[in-house]
Amino acid sequence: MDLYGLARPLLFRLDPETAHDLAFWLGARACAWPTLRAPEMPEGLHRTVFGLDFPSPLGLAAGLDKGATLLPLWQALGFGHVEIGTVTPRPQPGNPKPRLFRFPQAGLILNRMGFNSEGAEVVAARLRDRPQGLIVGGNLGKNKETPEAQALDDYRDAYRLLAPHVDYVALNVSSPNTPGLRNLQAPEALKPLLAGMLDLRKEMGLERQPLLLKLAPDLAPEDLDAIVEVAAASGISGLIATNTTLDRGVVAEPLRAQVEAKGAGGLSGVPLKAKAREVRRRLLAALRGRLPLVACGGLGSAEDVQGALDDGAALAQVYSALIFEGPGLVGRIHRGLSRG
Ligand SMILES: Cc1cc2nc3c(=O)[nH]c(=O)nc-3n(C[C@H](O)[C@H](O)[C@H](O)COP(=O)(O)O)c2cc1C
């Protein structure tokens, strides 16, 4: 049993956000260790995607390190990339607690964090000391009080501050916990959003920096096809699929009733796997190789990640499985991928 195996029963007895804060406190101490460095990567994992050299296809999904506070630790665990955020332009506290729930028996997380964010200025300042050799993506969102019609201004404000300090930017239009955010996925809203962001990217001389779009799993197949056409025509660099789901139907009874009793929020982890796979396959079929896709949602083993890569995904990200399985997950996935 590894160290996490020992700590897990204690961490899982704590309230989830307290456990998160404790893990981050310990993580920050670990980041100060002078011996902390990236592990030796098994052969054959390297890949170049949207012009960036990834040491491995496996990355940490957005939402865990929202403020980019533990980058040396993620690098030492072996992640090929880390997506920080979601960062909003101005600081905001997120939703009232409790807003994070774990169901370990099902590998399931329910969250309605609602973009708790220190704001783009603070996070950008922290990124000035980021470690070398780790690919960092910046995931951007809008502030809660910003009306939908002014969403573009928020994404642009956050981009101006953060983009110079990251390797790629992801536009999060798919969190279920900010009212109205997902409406930005509609083609008539998406077109001006992407055009406005690409204009800003050009203005800032960052044309070579990849710009990605992160999508929800709760879109109808025809909507996915329409989004693909808008994305491919726009000139953005790729898609991330998927974010969390609002669909309680992914959870079997009797657990579903317990999940429903916790109230609103997005579901992630094992129960999201099949739905995320279906969405990913639909998107890849519609894309026909025009843009790379980053797979996310319910991935928790080398087989899952290899399956996503075999589907045609260029990269993969994990979040929930890391919470349930601990840091050893990264090495296990790498060894499995390298064995082929
Ligand atoms: C507690 C929690 C917070 C999250 N916060 C964000 C976020 O701020 N931005 C974002 O794009 N995705 C966020 N996500 C979604 C994850 O990045 C990922 O898309 C989703 O959890 C599916 O992957 P998984 O099944 O491996 O967890 C969050 C997920 C969880 C569990």
Side-chain angles (χ1 to χ4, degrees):
M1 191 190 284
D2 62 9
L3 206 59
Y4 193 76
L6 292 170
R8 205 185 113 118
L10 169 71
L11 283 174
F12 276 67
R13 258 203 297 276
L14 297 172
D15 148 76
E17 224 173 316
T18 309
H20 170 95
D21 293 346
L22 175 63
F24 265 60
W25 185 85
L26 290 168
R29 308 277 96 55
C31 284
W33 290 345
T35 50
L36 204 66
R37 62 173 59 89
E40 202 70 45
M41 208 58 90
E43 289 289 299
L45 297 186
H46 171 272
R47 50 189 58 209
T48 303
V49 185
F50 25 76
L52 297 176
D53 284 327
F54 291 81
S56 138
L58 183 66
L60 177 63
L64 186 54
D65 195 358
K66 288 180 192 276
T69 53
L70 296 185
L71 296 180
L73 181 66
W74 308 128
Q75 186 173 35
L77 295 188
F79 280 111
H81 74 279
V82 174
E83 195 166 305
I84 60 146
T86 292
V87 182
T88 54
R90 292 166 302 287
Q92 64 174 29
N95 287 326
K97 296 177 187 176
R99 54 191 181 175
L100 180 60
F101 306 89
R102 291 170 310 216
F103 300 87
Q105 67 277 37
L108 167 67
I109 296 178
L110 161 65
N111 96 83
R112 50 170 172 275
M113 300 299 290
F115 292 169
N116 49 313
S117 175
E118 295 171 282
E121 207 173 310
V122 170
V123 180
R126 200 171 283 137
L127 283 167
R128 294 203 177 97
D129 297 323
R130 55 176 276 199
Q132 296 299 304
L134 173 71
I135 293 193
V136 178
N139 178 305
L140 308 183
K142 75 170 194 68
N143 280 103
K144 185 178 178 183
E145 80 277 8
T146 304
E148 240 172 281
Q150 268 118 57
L152 174 60
D153 295 337
D154 263 20
Y155 285 96
R156 284 170 66 102
D157 288 348
Y159 187 94
R160 265 189 212 95
L161 290 162
L162 216 67
H165 306 287
V166 292
D167 300 301
Y168 73 85
V169 170
L171 303 176
N172 180 7
V173 289
S174 48
S175 166
N177 301 314
T178 294
L181 191 82
R182 286 182 164 195
N183 296 340
L184 297 170
Q185 295 174 120
E188 58 281 11
L190 200 51
K191 268 187 214 161
L193 177 72
L194 298 184
M197 295 309 294
L198 288 166
D199 283 349
L200 176 60
R201 183 175 76 164
K202 189 160 177 222
E203 260 169 51
M204 291 176 66
L206 292 172
E207 289 98 325
R208 294 166 69 93
Q209 182 181 71
L211 183 67
L212 313 183
L213 183 68
K214 184 165 176 181
L215 298 172
D218 303 321
L219 292 153
E222 316 77 64
D223 296 337
L224 294 172
D225 297 346
I227 289 170
V228 161
E229 293 314 314
V230 172
S234 71
I236 65 162
S237 323
L239 302 176
I240 306 174
T242 70
N243 213 313
T244 57
T245 183
L246 285 171
D247 181 3
R248 277 18 182 189
V250 299
V251 188
E253 291 291 7
L255 186 63
R256 191 190 301 174
Q258 286 177 44
V259 172
E260 281 172 349
K262 300 290 183 199
L267 306 180
S268 58
V270 174
L272 170 61
K273 182 157 112 178
K275 194 177 181 94
R277 186 199 298 128
E278 208 175 298
V279 167
R280 166 171 86 234
R281 288 183 175 166
R282 181 79 184 207
L283 288 169
L284 284 163
L287 279 167
R288 288 178 277 112
R290 285 175 288 175
L291 295 175
L293 180 137
V294 181
C296 185
L299 305 176
S301 66
E303 293 70 38
D304 291 345
V305 171
Q306 189 62 58
L309 299 176
D310 291 345
D311 282 345
L315 300 168
Q317 297 180 333
V318 294
Y319 184 146
S320 301
L322 183 69
I323 304 303
F324 293 115
E325 302 212 13
L329 176 75
V330 185
R332 278 198 294 282
I333 290 181
H334 281 160
R335 286 190 293 278
L337 290 178
S338 142
R339 277 197 297 271

PDB file of all heavy atoms in Angstrom, residues 89 120 140-141 150-163 171 192-201 203-204:
ATOM      1  N   PRO A  89     -12.135  36.615 -14.300  1.00  0.00           N
ATOM      2  CA  PRO A  89     -11.343  37.853 -14.363  1.00  0.00           C
ATOM      3  C   PRO A  89     -11.198  38.514 -12.999  1.00  0.00           C
ATOM      4  O   PRO A  89     -10.097  38.918 -12.624  1.00  0.00           O
ATOM      5  CB  PRO A  89     -12.114  38.738 -15.349  1.00  0.00           C
ATOM      6  CG  PRO A  89     -13.418  38.068 -15.599  1.00  0.00           C
ATOM      7  CD  PRO A  89     -13.266  36.624 -15.241  1.00  0.00           C
ATOM      8  N   ALA A 120      -7.928  36.618 -12.006  1.00  0.00           N
ATOM      9  CA  ALA A 120      -6.844  36.411 -12.977  1.00  0.00           C
ATOM     10  C   ALA A 120      -5.550  37.128 -12.588  1.00  0.00           C
ATOM     11  O   ALA A 120      -4.459  36.630 -12.882  1.00  0.00           O
ATOM     12  CB  ALA A 120      -7.303  36.858 -14.359  1.00  0.00           C
ATOM     13  N   LEU A 140     -10.385  29.468 -18.558  1.00  0.00           N
ATOM     14  CA  LEU A 140     -11.013  30.752 -18.242  1.00  0.00           C
ATOM     15  C   LEU A 140     -12.531  30.654 -18.179  1.00  0.00           C
ATOM     16  O   LEU A 140     -13.156  29.924 -18.953  1.00  0.00           O
ATOM     17  CB  LEU A 140     -10.650  31.794 -19.305  1.00  0.00           C
ATOM     18  CG  LEU A 140      -9.165  31.977 -19.637  1.00  0.00           C
ATOM     19  CD1 LEU A 140      -9.002  33.097 -20.660  1.00  0.00           C
ATOM     20  CD2 LEU A 140      -8.350  32.244 -18.387  1.00  0.00           C
ATOM     21  N   GLY A 141     -13.115  31.438 -17.272  1.00  0.00           N
ATOM     22  CA  GLY A 141     -14.575  31.511 -17.169  1.00  0.00           C
ATOM     23  C   GLY A 141     -15.000  32.938 -16.903  1.00  0.00           C
ATOM     24  O   GLY A 141     -14.164  33.833 -16.763  1.00  0.00           O
ATOM     25  N   GLN A 150     -22.564  40.071 -21.753  1.00  0.00           N
ATOM     26  CA  GLN A 150     -21.221  40.643 -21.617  1.00  0.00           C
ATOM     27  C   GLN A 150     -20.138  39.582 -21.337  1.00  0.00           C
ATOM     28  O   GLN A 150     -19.026  39.928 -20.925  1.00  0.00           O
ATOM     29  CB  GLN A 150     -21.204  41.665 -20.477  1.00  0.00           C
ATOM     30  CG  GLN A 150     -21.479  43.081 -20.943  1.00  0.00           C
ATOM     31  CD  GLN A 150     -22.740  43.618 -20.314  1.00  0.00           C
ATOM     32  OE1 GLN A 150     -22.838  43.653 -19.099  1.00  0.00           O
ATOM     33  NE2 GLN A 150     -23.699  43.993 -21.146  1.00  0.00           N
ATOM     34  N   ALA A 151     -20.476  38.332 -21.579  1.00  0.00           N
ATOM     35  CA  ALA A 151     -19.541  37.252 -21.268  1.00  0.00           C
ATOM     36  C   ALA A 151     -18.203  37.443 -21.982  1.00  0.00           C
ATOM     37  O   ALA A 151     -17.133  37.242 -21.393  1.00  0.00           O
ATOM     38  CB  ALA A 151     -20.153  35.909 -21.640  1.00  0.00           C
ATOM     39  N   LEU A 152     -18.262  37.852 -23.249  1.00  0.00           N
ATOM     40  CA  LEU A 152     -17.028  38.001 -24.024  1.00  0.00           C
ATOM     41  C   LEU A 152     -16.047  38.946 -23.321  1.00  0.00           C
ATOM     42  O   LEU A 152     -14.838  38.694 -23.290  1.00  0.00           O
ATOM     43  CB  LEU A 152     -17.353  38.498 -25.447  1.00  0.00           C
ATOM     44  CG  LEU A 152     -16.137  38.836 -26.322  1.00  0.00           C
ATOM     45  CD1 LEU A 152     -15.229  37.624 -26.531  1.00  0.00           C
ATOM     46  CD2 LEU A 152     -16.588  39.372 -27.689  1.00  0.00           C
ATOM     47  N   ASP A 153     -16.564  40.041 -22.748  1.00  0.00           N
ATOM     48  CA  ASP A 153     -15.678  40.995 -22.049  1.00  0.00           C
ATOM     49  C   ASP A 153     -14.931  40.305 -20.919  1.00  0.00           C
ATOM     50  O   ASP A 153     -13.749  40.557 -20.691  1.00  0.00           O
ATOM     51  CB  ASP A 153     -16.487  42.166 -21.463  1.00  0.00           C
ATOM     52  CG  ASP A 153     -17.125  43.004 -22.551  1.00  0.00           C
ATOM     53  OD1 ASP A 153     -16.613  42.972 -23.685  1.00  0.00           O
ATOM     54  OD2 ASP A 153     -18.133  43.667 -22.273  1.00  0.00           O
ATOM     55  N   ASP A 154     -15.647  39.439 -20.185  1.00  0.00           N
ATOM     56  CA  ASP A 154     -15.016  38.720 -19.070  1.00  0.00           C
ATOM     57  C   ASP A 154     -13.920  37.781 -19.558  1.00  0.00           C
ATOM     58  O   ASP A 154     -12.819  37.747 -19.003  1.00  0.00           O
ATOM     59  CB  ASP A 154     -16.063  37.896 -18.308  1.00  0.00           C
ATOM     60  CG  ASP A 154     -16.574  38.632 -17.066  1.00  0.00           C
ATOM     61  OD1 ASP A 154     -16.411  39.867 -17.021  1.00  0.00           O
ATOM     62  OD2 ASP A 154     -17.130  37.969 -16.168  1.00  0.00           O
ATOM     63  N   TYR A 155     -14.226  36.997 -20.592  1.00  0.00           N
ATOM     64  CA  TYR A 155     -13.209  36.074 -21.117  1.00  0.00           C
ATOM     65  C   TYR A 155     -12.009  36.861 -21.625  1.00  0.00           C
ATOM     66  O   TYR A 155     -10.858  36.454 -21.438  1.00  0.00           O
ATOM     67  CB  TYR A 155     -13.785  35.200 -22.239  1.00  0.00           C
ATOM     68  CG  TYR A 155     -14.710  34.103 -21.735  1.00  0.00           C
ATOM     69  CD1 TYR A 155     -16.089  34.267 -21.717  1.00  0.00           C
ATOM     70  CD2 TYR A 155     -14.193  32.894 -21.266  1.00  0.00           C
ATOM     71  CE1 TYR A 155     -16.930  33.273 -21.252  1.00  0.00           C
ATOM     72  CE2 TYR A 155     -15.021  31.882 -20.803  1.00  0.00           C
ATOM     73  CZ  TYR A 155     -16.394  32.076 -20.794  1.00  0.00           C
ATOM     74  OH  TYR A 155     -17.212  31.089 -20.322  1.00  0.00           O
ATOM     75  N   ARG A 156     -12.276  38.003 -22.261  1.00  0.00           N
ATOM     76  CA  ARG A 156     -11.160  38.812 -22.776  1.00  0.00           C
ATOM     77  C   ARG A 156     -10.331  39.398 -21.633  1.00  0.00           C
ATOM     78  O   ARG A 156      -9.108  39.444 -21.699  1.00  0.00           O
ATOM     79  CB  ARG A 156     -11.694  39.911 -23.702  1.00  0.00           C
ATOM     80  CG  ARG A 156     -12.108  39.358 -25.074  1.00  0.00           C
ATOM     81  CD  ARG A 156     -12.862  40.368 -25.905  1.00  0.00           C
ATOM     82  NE  ARG A 156     -12.069  41.500 -26.302  1.00  0.00           N
ATOM     83  CZ  ARG A 156     -11.535  41.688 -27.519  1.00  0.00           C
ATOM     84  NH1 ARG A 156     -11.699  40.777 -28.451  1.00  0.00           N
ATOM     85  NH2 ARG A 156     -10.848  42.764 -27.793  1.00  0.00           N
ATOM     86  N   ASP A 157     -10.999  39.873 -20.575  1.00  0.00           N
ATOM     87  CA  ASP A 157     -10.267  40.437 -19.432  1.00  0.00           C
ATOM     88  C   ASP A 157      -9.365  39.376 -18.797  1.00  0.00           C
ATOM     89  O   ASP A 157      -8.202  39.643 -18.471  1.00  0.00           O
ATOM     90  CB  ASP A 157     -11.243  40.961 -18.371  1.00  0.00           C
ATOM     91  CG  ASP A 157     -11.932  42.240 -18.819  1.00  0.00           C
ATOM     92  OD1 ASP A 157     -11.480  42.833 -19.835  1.00  0.00           O
ATOM     93  OD2 ASP A 157     -12.923  42.648 -18.185  1.00  0.00           O
ATOM     94  N   ALA A 158      -9.924  38.185 -18.610  1.00  0.00           N
ATOM     95  CA  ALA A 158      -9.127  37.101 -18.008  1.00  0.00           C
ATOM     96  C   ALA A 158      -7.986  36.713 -18.941  1.00  0.00           C
ATOM     97  O   ALA A 158      -6.850  36.477 -18.499  1.00  0.00           O
ATOM     98  CB  ALA A 158     -10.016  35.902 -17.718  1.00  0.00           C
ATOM     99  N   TYR A 159      -8.258  36.659 -20.236  1.00  0.00           N
ATOM    100  CA  TYR A 159      -7.235  36.273 -21.224  1.00  0.00           C
ATOM    101  C   TYR A 159      -6.069  37.249 -21.220  1.00  0.00           C
ATOM    102  O   TYR A 159      -4.899  36.846 -21.221  1.00  0.00           O
ATOM    103  CB  TYR A 159      -7.884  36.216 -22.614  1.00  0.00           C
ATOM    104  CG  TYR A 159      -6.984  35.661 -23.698  1.00  0.00           C
ATOM    105  CD1 TYR A 159      -7.015  34.310 -24.035  1.00  0.00           C
ATOM    106  CD2 TYR A 159      -6.098  36.486 -24.402  1.00  0.00           C
ATOM    107  CE1 TYR A 159      -6.196  33.800 -25.028  1.00  0.00           C
ATOM    108  CE2 TYR A 159      -5.278  35.980 -25.394  1.00  0.00           C
ATOM    109  CZ  TYR A 159      -5.331  34.634 -25.707  1.00  0.00           C
ATOM    110  OH  TYR A 159      -4.522  34.126 -26.688  1.00  0.00           O
ATOM    111  N   ARG A 160      -6.396  38.542 -21.216  1.00  0.00           N
ATOM    112  CA  ARG A 160      -5.336  39.580 -21.228  1.00  0.00           C
ATOM    113  C   ARG A 160      -4.334  39.356 -20.099  1.00  0.00           C
ATOM    114  O   ARG A 160      -3.136  39.476 -20.267  1.00  0.00           O
ATOM    115  CB  ARG A 160      -5.964  40.963 -21.047  1.00  0.00           C
ATOM    116  CG  ARG A 160      -6.214  41.650 -22.340  1.00  0.00           C
ATOM    117  CD  ARG A 160      -6.624  43.107 -22.141  1.00  0.00           C
ATOM    118  NE  ARG A 160      -7.536  43.444 -23.211  1.00  0.00           N
ATOM    119  CZ  ARG A 160      -8.863  43.387 -23.125  1.00  0.00           C
ATOM    120  NH1 ARG A 160      -9.436  43.076 -21.986  1.00  0.00           N
ATOM    121  NH2 ARG A 160      -9.605  43.656 -24.168  1.00  0.00           N
ATOM    122  N   LEU A 161      -4.858  39.000 -18.916  1.00  0.00           N
ATOM    123  CA  LEU A 161      -3.996  38.839 -17.743  1.00  0.00           C
ATOM    124  C   LEU A 161      -3.258  37.502 -17.736  1.00  0.00           C
ATOM    125  O   LEU A 161      -2.089  37.428 -17.365  1.00  0.00           O
ATOM    126  CB  LEU A 161      -4.838  38.957 -16.463  1.00  0.00           C
ATOM    127  CG  LEU A 161      -5.369  40.362 -16.168  1.00  0.00           C
ATOM    128  CD1 LEU A 161      -6.523  40.310 -15.180  1.00  0.00           C
ATOM    129  CD2 LEU A 161      -4.240  41.238 -15.614  1.00  0.00           C
ATOM    130  N   LEU A 162      -3.955  36.460 -18.153  1.00  0.00           N
ATOM    131  CA  LEU A 162      -3.414  35.108 -17.956  1.00  0.00           C
ATOM    132  C   LEU A 162      -2.649  34.545 -19.156  1.00  0.00           C
ATOM    133  O   LEU A 162      -1.650  33.835 -18.979  1.00  0.00           O
ATOM    134  CB  LEU A 162      -4.572  34.166 -17.608  1.00  0.00           C
ATOM    135  CG  LEU A 162      -4.241  33.093 -16.604  1.00  0.00           C
ATOM    136  CD1 LEU A 162      -3.950  33.702 -15.242  1.00  0.00           C
ATOM    137  CD2 LEU A 162      -5.397  32.112 -16.476  1.00  0.00           C
ATOM    138  N   ALA A 163      -3.124  34.859 -20.357  1.00  0.00           N
ATOM    139  CA  ALA A 163      -2.558  34.213 -21.557  1.00  0.00           C
ATOM    140  C   ALA A 163      -1.038  34.351 -21.668  1.00  0.00           C
ATOM    141  O   ALA A 163      -0.367  33.387 -22.061  1.00  0.00           O
ATOM    142  CB  ALA A 163      -3.248  34.739 -22.821  1.00  0.00           C
ATOM    143  N   LEU A 171     -11.297  27.812 -23.084  1.00  0.00           N
ATOM    144  CA  LEU A 171     -12.487  28.594 -22.739  1.00  0.00           C
ATOM    145  C   LEU A 171     -13.513  27.632 -22.164  1.00  0.00           C
ATOM    146  O   LEU A 171     -13.946  26.690 -22.843  1.00  0.00           O
ATOM    147  CB  LEU A 171     -13.061  29.277 -23.984  1.00  0.00           C
ATOM    148  CG  LEU A 171     -12.089  30.188 -24.745  1.00  0.00           C
ATOM    149  CD1 LEU A 171     -12.752  30.720 -26.012  1.00  0.00           C
ATOM    150  CD2 LEU A 171     -11.611  31.335 -23.857  1.00  0.00           C
ATOM    151  N   PRO A 192     -19.520  34.575 -32.142  1.00  0.00           N
ATOM    152  CA  PRO A 192     -18.894  35.846 -31.740  1.00  0.00           C
ATOM    153  C   PRO A 192     -17.913  35.686 -30.585  1.00  0.00           C
ATOM    154  O   PRO A 192     -16.919  36.417 -30.517  1.00  0.00           O
ATOM    155  CB  PRO A 192     -20.084  36.730 -31.324  1.00  0.00           C
ATOM    156  CG  PRO A 192     -21.256  35.826 -31.179  1.00  0.00           C
ATOM    157  CD  PRO A 192     -20.980  34.605 -31.992  1.00  0.00           C
ATOM    158  N   LEU A 193     -18.157  34.725 -29.699  1.00  0.00           N
ATOM    159  CA  LEU A 193     -17.229  34.503 -28.585  1.00  0.00           C
ATOM    160  C   LEU A 193     -15.858  34.076 -29.122  1.00  0.00           C
ATOM    161  O   LEU A 193     -14.821  34.655 -28.766  1.00  0.00           O
ATOM    162  CB  LEU A 193     -17.782  33.435 -27.630  1.00  0.00           C
ATOM    163  CG  LEU A 193     -16.860  33.058 -26.470  1.00  0.00           C
ATOM    164  CD1 LEU A 193     -16.792  34.174 -25.445  1.00  0.00           C
ATOM    165  CD2 LEU A 193     -17.313  31.768 -25.778  1.00  0.00           C
ATOM    166  N   LEU A 194     -15.860  33.070 -29.994  1.00  0.00           N
ATOM    167  CA  LEU A 194     -14.582  32.575 -30.522  1.00  0.00           C
ATOM    168  C   LEU A 194     -13.897  33.645 -31.372  1.00  0.00           C
ATOM    169  O   LEU A 194     -12.687  33.854 -31.269  1.00  0.00           O
ATOM    170  CB  LEU A 194     -14.804  31.288 -31.333  1.00  0.00           C
ATOM    171  CG  LEU A 194     -15.377  30.099 -30.545  1.00  0.00           C
ATOM    172  CD1 LEU A 194     -15.466  28.864 -31.435  1.00  0.00           C
ATOM    173  CD2 LEU A 194     -14.545  29.800 -29.307  1.00  0.00           C
ATOM    174  N   ALA A 195     -14.699  34.353 -32.188  1.00  0.00           N
ATOM    175  CA  ALA A 195     -14.110  35.404 -33.041  1.00  0.00           C
ATOM    176  C   ALA A 195     -13.486  36.495 -32.172  1.00  0.00           C
ATOM    177  O   ALA A 195     -12.362  36.959 -32.437  1.00  0.00           O
ATOM    178  CB  ALA A 195     -15.181  35.988 -33.963  1.00  0.00           C
ATOM    179  N   GLY A 196     -14.173  36.877 -31.109  1.00  0.00           N
ATOM    180  CA  GLY A 196     -13.667  37.924 -30.216  1.00  0.00           C
ATOM    181  C   GLY A 196     -12.387  37.509 -29.514  1.00  0.00           C
ATOM    182  O   GLY A 196     -11.482  38.316 -29.309  1.00  0.00           O
ATOM    183  N   MET A 197     -12.313  36.237 -29.153  1.00  0.00           N
ATOM    184  CA  MET A 197     -11.108  35.743 -28.470  1.00  0.00           C
ATOM    185  C   MET A 197      -9.937  35.621 -29.453  1.00  0.00           C
ATOM    186  O   MET A 197      -8.797  35.932 -29.121  1.00  0.00           O
ATOM    187  CB  MET A 197     -11.388  34.381 -27.820  1.00  0.00           C
ATOM    188  CG  MET A 197     -12.412  34.409 -26.709  1.00  0.00           C
ATOM    189  SD  MET A 197     -12.099  35.665 -25.447  1.00  0.00           S
ATOM    190  CE  MET A 197     -10.579  35.062 -24.724  1.00  0.00           C
ATOM    191  N   LEU A 198     -10.248  35.182 -30.684  1.00  0.00           N
ATOM    192  CA  LEU A 198      -9.164  35.041 -31.664  1.00  0.00           C
ATOM    193  C   LEU A 198      -8.632  36.413 -32.087  1.00  0.00           C
ATOM    194  O   LEU A 198      -7.429  36.575 -32.322  1.00  0.00           O
ATOM    195  CB  LEU A 198      -9.656  34.235 -32.870  1.00  0.00           C
ATOM    196  CG  LEU A 198      -9.851  32.743 -32.553  1.00  0.00           C
ATOM    197  CD1 LEU A 198     -10.656  32.050 -33.638  1.00  0.00           C
ATOM    198  CD2 LEU A 198      -8.501  32.037 -32.359  1.00  0.00           C
ATOM    199  N   ASP A 199      -9.519  37.409 -32.141  1.00  0.00           N
ATOM    200  CA  ASP A 199      -9.068  38.788 -32.427  1.00  0.00           C
ATOM    201  C   ASP A 199      -8.103  39.265 -31.346  1.00  0.00           C
ATOM    202  O   ASP A 199      -7.069  39.851 -31.634  1.00  0.00           O
ATOM    203  CB  ASP A 199     -10.262  39.762 -32.456  1.00  0.00           C
ATOM    204  CG  ASP A 199     -11.032  39.639 -33.760  1.00  0.00           C
ATOM    205  OD1 ASP A 199     -10.520  38.970 -34.679  1.00  0.00           O
ATOM    206  OD2 ASP A 199     -12.144  40.198 -33.843  1.00  0.00           O
ATOM    207  N   LEU A 200      -8.474  39.014 -30.093  1.00  0.00           N
ATOM    208  CA  LEU A 200      -7.630  39.447 -28.981  1.00  0.00           C
ATOM    209  C   LEU A 200      -6.285  38.720 -29.002  1.00  0.00           C
ATOM    210  O   LEU A 200      -5.228  39.331 -28.770  1.00  0.00           O
ATOM    211  CB  LEU A 200      -8.353  39.188 -27.644  1.00  0.00           C
ATOM    212  CG  LEU A 200      -7.554  39.514 -26.387  1.00  0.00           C
ATOM    213  CD1 LEU A 200      -7.159  40.983 -26.335  1.00  0.00           C
ATOM    214  CD2 LEU A 200      -8.350  39.148 -25.125  1.00  0.00           C
ATOM    215  N   ARG A 201      -6.350  37.426 -29.302  1.00  0.00           N
ATOM    216  CA  ARG A 201      -5.106  36.643 -29.370  1.00  0.00           C
ATOM    217  C   ARG A 201      -4.150  37.273 -30.395  1.00  0.00           C
ATOM    218  O   ARG A 201      -2.962  37.415 -30.147  1.00  0.00           O
ATOM    219  CB  ARG A 201      -5.440  35.198 -29.756  1.00  0.00           C
ATOM    220  CG  ARG A 201      -4.239  34.289 -29.775  1.00  0.00           C
ATOM    221  CD  ARG A 201      -4.606  32.849 -30.036  1.00  0.00           C
ATOM    222  NE  ARG A 201      -4.914  32.616 -31.444  1.00  0.00           N
ATOM    223  CZ  ARG A 201      -4.969  31.412 -32.001  1.00  0.00           C
ATOM    224  NH1 ARG A 201      -4.781  30.328 -31.272  1.00  0.00           N
ATOM    225  NH2 ARG A 201      -5.254  31.262 -33.282  1.00  0.00           N
ATOM    226  N   GLU A 203      -4.261  40.467 -31.537  1.00  0.00           N
ATOM    227  CA  GLU A 203      -3.840  41.784 -31.016  1.00  0.00           C
ATOM    228  C   GLU A 203      -2.658  41.664 -30.070  1.00  0.00           C
ATOM    229  O   GLU A 203      -1.786  42.524 -30.026  1.00  0.00           O
ATOM    230  CB  GLU A 203      -4.981  42.394 -30.176  1.00  0.00           C
ATOM    231  CG  GLU A 203      -5.834  43.434 -30.832  1.00  0.00           C
ATOM    232  CD  GLU A 203      -7.049  43.695 -29.954  1.00  0.00           C
ATOM    233  OE1 GLU A 203      -6.891  43.945 -28.742  1.00  0.00           O
ATOM    234  OE2 GLU A 203      -8.186  43.604 -30.489  1.00  0.00           O
ATOM    235  N   MET A 204      -2.682  40.587 -29.271  1.00  0.00           N
ATOM    236  CA  MET A 204      -1.624  40.399 -28.269  1.00  0.00           C
ATOM    237  C   MET A 204      -0.398  39.684 -28.836  1.00  0.00           C
ATOM    238  O   MET A 204       0.550  39.392 -28.102  1.00  0.00           O
ATOM    239  CB  MET A 204      -2.170  39.614 -27.061  1.00  0.00           C
ATOM    240  CG  MET A 204      -3.180  40.430 -26.258  1.00  0.00           C
ATOM    241  SD  MET A 204      -3.928  39.479 -24.896  1.00  0.00           S
ATOM    242  CE  MET A 204      -2.516  39.210 -23.819  1.00  0.00           C
TER     243      MET A 204
END
